Amino acid sequence: MSDYVVRQITDAESRATFELLVRSLHGNPPSDERWARVAESWTADGRTGAFHDGEAIGIASSFATKLTVPGGGTVAMAAVDGVGVRADWTRRGVLTAMMDRQLHDFVQRGHVVAALHASEALIYGRFGYGVATRMATLQVRQPAPLRETVVAPGRVRLLSTDEAIATIPSLYQRIDTGRPGRIARPELWWPIAFNWHLHADGGNHRVAVHSGPDGDDGFAVFHVVPQNSYLDPERGAALEVRELHAASPEALAGLWRFLLSVDLIEVVNVRGRPVDDPVGLLLVDPRRAHTVGLDDELWLRLIDVQAALAARAYGSAEPVVLEVNDRMLPDNRGRYRVSSSGVERTEADADLQLDVDTLAMLYLGAWEAGPLALSGRITGASAETLARVDALFRTATQPWTGTHF
Ligand SMILES: CC(C)(COP(=O)(O)OP(=O)(O)OC[C@H]1O[C@@H](n2cnc3c(N)ncnc32)[C@H](O)[C@@H]1OP(=O)(O)O)[C@@H](O)C(=O)NCCC(=O)NCCS
């Protein structure tokens, strides 16, 4: 029997578990001021803790939101926003016990999927999470003017921190292009993940809003990092973009034009862009823009495979029968017949076998079936079956989340 218990935390344990999380990620203990900013968001609901003699030794936290799936529908999602085990308790099964409890809790709460951002890629596959969106890191070297034919008639204005905190939440809600992988940002997300950064580092983040013919339709959050030195006093700074969201191609081009026009900047760096960001195509000289990284973004866990598969749209192709294996949530095990008109459980022979983490990789359209088969994640499929899977699951735009939690 283990010498710790795993259970939902109480409100009285909120600050201790938040501190545990911050310390496990090697941050300083949160000051009273920082705690005051996050306390409202760090409620006990949805947070699983591990305790030894009443003391917190592990935390697996989540909040409820919605995920946009191919076709533009949404599913109920648990966003796992903080996982940590105290350093003197690691590798003794604490995370495994918390994940097990958390997944069953998600079933009870009716979440169709769960998702997280992983600090390391080795941790979450064993719990059924697969990489369902990927993100590009882009670097644009100045000068990088836009081509004359780019249509971007809108205007950009800078907001004060207070204006940004008051207006960006509703603007984000309005900017919804239906791209798979987007998540809704609930009220409790903003103080921890947005307002906090605007106040951090002496408040050097700037917020730019784009307005088109129908009003505000995009925003960017960025800050500038000096690169000059004693020996290189004239060197231009780096402009680092934290967020970039736009409702239309014109708004996106307008925001790129603004970010690339700020004076005294040598390079614009952006982490976490969709892999189909068109910035290189907007430029007179496309070689000014480089993709310098391609990383996993959202790790997705299908909690209710049937409901998740039924919620998304499919391309047109002959149906395919998937045999899904799920080690931790056995109700998901079985065969699913996926066709352009929907999904049903079936006893028919399977066209292929895959684990639930691999199904999550296909689910939003980030991966093609071929590489998944080549890497042994999909088994038993002919080349013709793989082509059918792609025709059914492929999406017109690359999935992307663009929200860190
Ligand atoms: C990552 C972390 C949560 C793992 O917790 P833990 O209680 O040590 O995990 P468990 O003991 O349940 O390990 C389960 C399995 O995952 C493996 N594992 C756990 N963390 C791992 C890591 N960082 N790298 C590789 N494997 C890891 C274990 O070896 C074990 O494998 P096994 O079942 O084959 O023996 C913990 O080390 C931690 O808090 N790290 C610092 C904070 C952090 O990275 N949090 C994650 C943020 S997304």
Side-chain angles (χ1 to χ4, degrees), residues 85-289:
V85 172
R86 216 171 70 183
D88 53 345
W89 278 87
T90 55
R91 309 301 179 270
R92 291 159 73 173
V94 175
L95 174 66
T96 306
M98 292 193 300
M99 287 280 121
D100 188 52
R101 189 187 190 284
Q102 197 184 50
L103 287 178
H104 288 92
D105 183 44
F106 293 160
V107 173
Q108 295 298 319
R109 288 168 184 251
H111 293 301
V112 173
V113 299
L116 51 80
H117 298 276
S119 61
E120 291 178 273
L122 295 171
I123 304 173
Y124 295 102
R126 74 192 70 227
F127 306 121
Y129 287 85
V131 175
T133 72
R134 287 183 289 174
M135 60 182 191
T137 302
L138 306 174
Q139 192 165 67
V140 187
R141 300 219 151 259
Q142 299 284 42
L146 267 52
R147 289 168 43 239
E148 269 178 21
T149 50
V150 171
V151 180
R155 279 194 51 78
V156 170
R157 69 182 191 283
L158 288 172
L159 302 187
S160 70
T161 299
D162 288 346
E163 284 171 326
I165 288 172
T167 59
I168 297 297
S170 58
L171 178 54
Y172 176 80
Q173 208 172 335
R174 289 203 305 281
I175 299 172
D176 185 356
T177 57
R179 189 192 275 269
R182 178 189 194 272
I183 65 163
R185 294 178 172 180
E187 260 179 50
L188 57 72
W189 180 89
W190 292 91
I192 289 185
F194 185 80
N195 308 1
W196 165 251
H197 288 287
L198 296 192
H199 288 113
D201 300 331
N204 71 349
H205 279 76
R206 312 299 309 269
V207 180
V209 167
H210 182 273
S211 303
D214 300 322
D216 294 348
D217 55 8
F219 68 94
V221 181
F222 64 96
H223 72 295
V224 171
V225 182
Q227 300 189 112
N228 58 340
S229 65
Y230 177 71
L231 289 179
D232 195 0
E234 307 301 331
R235 186 166 179 198
L239 187 151
E240 306 204 325
V241 183
R242 184 174 181 86
E243 294 219 45
L244 178 51
H245 291 274
S248 66
E250 292 78 14
L252 183 62
L255 283 162
W256 267 121
R257 184 174 58 191
F258 169 74
L259 294 166
L260 296 171
S261 71
V262 176
D263 285 338
L264 305 176
I265 299 296
E266 181 182 286
V267 66
V268 175
N269 295 320
V270 200
R271 257 179 70 78
R273 290 303 295 155
V275 299
D276 54 6
D277 185 294
V279 64
L281 297 171
L282 297 173
L283 303 180
V284 173
D285 178 359
R287 286 193 184 171
R288 306 304 292 179

Side-chain angles (χ1 to χ4, degrees), residues 304-363:
D304 181 337
V305 167
Q306 166 76 33
L309 289 175
R312 62 154 286 178
Y314 296 93
S316 64
E318 288 299 304
V320 67
V321 176
L322 315 175
E323 181 162 343
V324 179
N325 184 38
D326 190 335
R327 202 172 52 80
M328 297 186 77
L329 296 176
D331 285 354
N332 283 329
R333 281 184 210 148
R335 293 179 204 158
Y336 299 84
R337 182 177 180 275
V338 180
S339 71
S340 38
S341 55
V343 175
E344 60 190 13
R345 288 242 188 193
T346 178
E347 293 303 320
D349 289 346
D351 293 309
L352 60 86
Q353 292 81 33
L354 76 183
D355 283 348
V356 72
D357 59 328
T358 302
L359 184 56
M361 295 172 78
L362 280 175
Y363 181 67

